[in-house]
Amino acid sequence: VAIDDVIIHLPCHEDVWGIKKNNSTWQKFKTTGMVHFTEYTNLIRKDVRSIGIIPESSPAKEKDGWCHRASELLAHYLENYYATTNDKEKRPIVTLHDSDPLPLQYARIAMAKQSFSSFSVFGMIPVIGAFGKGYYYFHSDNDMTGKMFQKASSYKGFENLHTWTVKKVLSAEALSRMKWEDVSAWLEASQ
């Protein structure tokens, strides 16, 4: 298995669309969202050789769902971004790891030089065990995953863990009111 320099775990939940605030399902997903693509390029080194993207849903499970489309959009965005900032020979290879079994996804996240995850317990655990720099974004200080991550990153030997400060994020509430075309335009906009 080839290890990517950078791994982005892209958590996304199909359930976000159509959720009503009074629905009990809303409570489960209210701390999810989508991080703007520029938040990744702000932290990824310019000399990166490979970037892997792990979507939370598989294309077989979701058929042409928005999570898979968001992952493909992120891959395309990163390819275009590095095409304008790097020489042709130095552009990273961007790979969508959308059919890996869960243990391999976990290993990819833990072994990359830079690992990113947000809103996801599954993504947070291997980021805590990352050999390289691990970045995790959580919704608020009341978020249980955020508390767990902050506690782990405070221990000696875990200086490679970073609470990811994100300025541009769409909340689950905002996502639930938007069409895919509006979300994709927002994700790709270079704000």
Side-chain angles (χ1 to χ4, degrees), residues 3 15 20 26 28 33 41 52 86 97 102 117 119 125 132 151:
I3 303 301
D15 306 50
K20 305 292 183 231
W26 174 257
K28 181 178 176 184
T41 53
N86 291 9
H97 300 293
L102 291 178
S117 188
F119 306 110
I125 299 298
K151 183 71 171 171

Side-chain angles (χ1 to χ4, degrees), residues 18-187:
I19 292 175
K20 305 292 183 231
K21 273 187 162 182
N22 296 330
N23 184 329
S24 62
T25 308
W26 174 257
Q27 294 304 314
K28 181 178 176 184
F29 293 107
K30 72 178 184 177
T31 58
T32 65
M34 291 293 291
V35 172
H36 194 276
F37 293 165
T38 57
E39 298 288 352
Y40 298 107
T41 53
N42 288 342
L43 291 173
I44 295 173
R45 300 179 336 267
K46 300 293 184 237
D47 64 343
V48 64
R49 292 173 299 151
S50 61
I51 302 171
I53 301 167
I54 299 174
E56 193 149 299
S57 290
S58 70
K61 176 180 161 188
E62 135 180 286
K63 307 257 191 241
D64 189 33
W66 78 271
C67 185
H68 188 70
R69 287 187 289 174
S71 300
E72 289 178 335
L73 194 65
L74 176 57
H76 181 70
Y77 176 86
L78 293 169
E79 287 168 348
N80 287 339
Y81 176 82
Y82 287 102
T84 61
T85 60
N86 291 9
D87 295 333
K88 189 174 184 173
E89 303 80 43
K90 295 182 180 179
R91 292 181 191 159
I93 297 167
V94 180
T95 307
L96 192 58
H97 300 293
D98 58 355
S99 58
D100 286 349
L102 291 178
L104 184 52
Q105 291 178 8
Y106 187 99
R108 286 186 189 284
I109 295 168
M111 295 177 74
K113 292 178 183 173
Q114 283 184 295
S115 300
F116 296 88
S117 188
S118 54
F119 306 110
S120 169
V121 173
F122 173 81
M124 178 200 58
I125 299 298
V127 166
I128 288 174
F131 291 96
K133 290 185 178 183
Y135 298 89
Y136 184 72
Y137 172 76
F138 53 92
H139 180 67
S140 71
D141 289 334
N142 294 327
D143 184 347
M144 182 54 116
T145 60
K147 289 178 183 178
M148 290 170 55
F149 187 82
Q150 287 178 319
K151 183 71 171 171
S153 64
S154 70
Y155 293 128
K156 185 178 178 183
F158 289 89
E159 294 82 12
N160 62 321
L161 301 182
H162 305 278
T163 300
W164 188 14
T165 304
V166 172
K167 296 177 183 166
K168 296 176 270 189
V169 65
L170 281 177
S171 67
E173 184 176 8
L175 285 167
S176 70
R177 294 189 308 258
M178 296 172 75
K179 294 179 181 173
W180 167 249
E181 294 75 22
D182 299 326
V183 173
S184 62
W186 182 83
L187 289 170

